[in-house]
Amino acid sequence: DIQMTQSPSTLSASVGDRVTITCRASQSVSVWLAWYQQRRGKAPKFLIYQASYLESGVPSRFSGSGSGTEFTLTISNLQPDDFATYYCLQYNTPPYTFGQGTTLEI
Amino acid sequence: EEQLVESGGGLVKPGGSLRISCAVSGFTFSNVWMSWVRQAPGKGLEWVGRIKSKSDGGTTEYAAPVKGRFTISRDDSKNTLYLQMNSLKTEDTAVYYCTRGGTKPDFWGQGTLVTVSS
């Protein structure tokens, strides 16, 4: 199975900051990577697919990049609602696998 | 309005079985691949498995920890997705989410809690 490793596990930031979360795959997943946001006690929300395509309705301050084994999620101009846990998901080869999550906290 | 509503979660003893359901509305269920994702208490997300649409063969894929014990099925006439869980273990305790999409889930239900404990 493909292993996904996110870093950092926890990230402290402030409103207005720009932050970057990294996701590394144990083997190439091409561009078949998605990002999700999960607020406490809620179901995950779909943010980005195919590494860099923003889901409809997601604010443009979210962006994704990368291919192969290294990917990043960047959030610019952090807003209070952005403080949550973020997960990457590789969907190149079943079984699909999530990263362990990155918690963005104030 | 699109909705995924899970039901059937609860407390079950180790070695027992449980079937959870996901009622779908607001989109054409029969055309869509569906997945289950779970989340153990205080832990991250874990992909459980997926089922293709019948027009794409209706086949299933599973994660290693559940393969041979869990079965995903669908009833397109009832717009319902199922997860049959057998030989349950304490480590199967989790919130189980029904999700739309067999590759990159783009819409999620609110989840149903399955607790495996004696």
Side-chain angles (χ1 to χ4, degrees), chain A residues 1 34 36 38 41-46 48-50 55 87 89-91 94-101, chain B residues 33 37 39 43-47 50 61-65 97 100 102-111:
Chain A
D1 298 359
Y36 295 85
Q38 187 177 33
K42 301 294 187 183
K45 176 186 174 183
F46 184 47
I48 286 171
Y49 63 98
Q50 208 167 314
E55 171 70 347
Y87 295 91
L89 167 71
Q90 72 80 17
Y91 57 98
Y96 303 141
T97 41
F98 287 92
Q100 81 279 14
Chain B
W33 298 16
V37 176
Q39 186 168 36
K43 303 296 185 183
L45 301 173
E46 181 181 19
W47 187 83
R50 68 125 187 254
E61 296 272 0
Y62 299 95
Y97 292 103
R100 181 178 68 184
T103 53
K104 54 187 189 305
D106 66 354
F107 191 71
W108 298 56
Q110 83 289 351

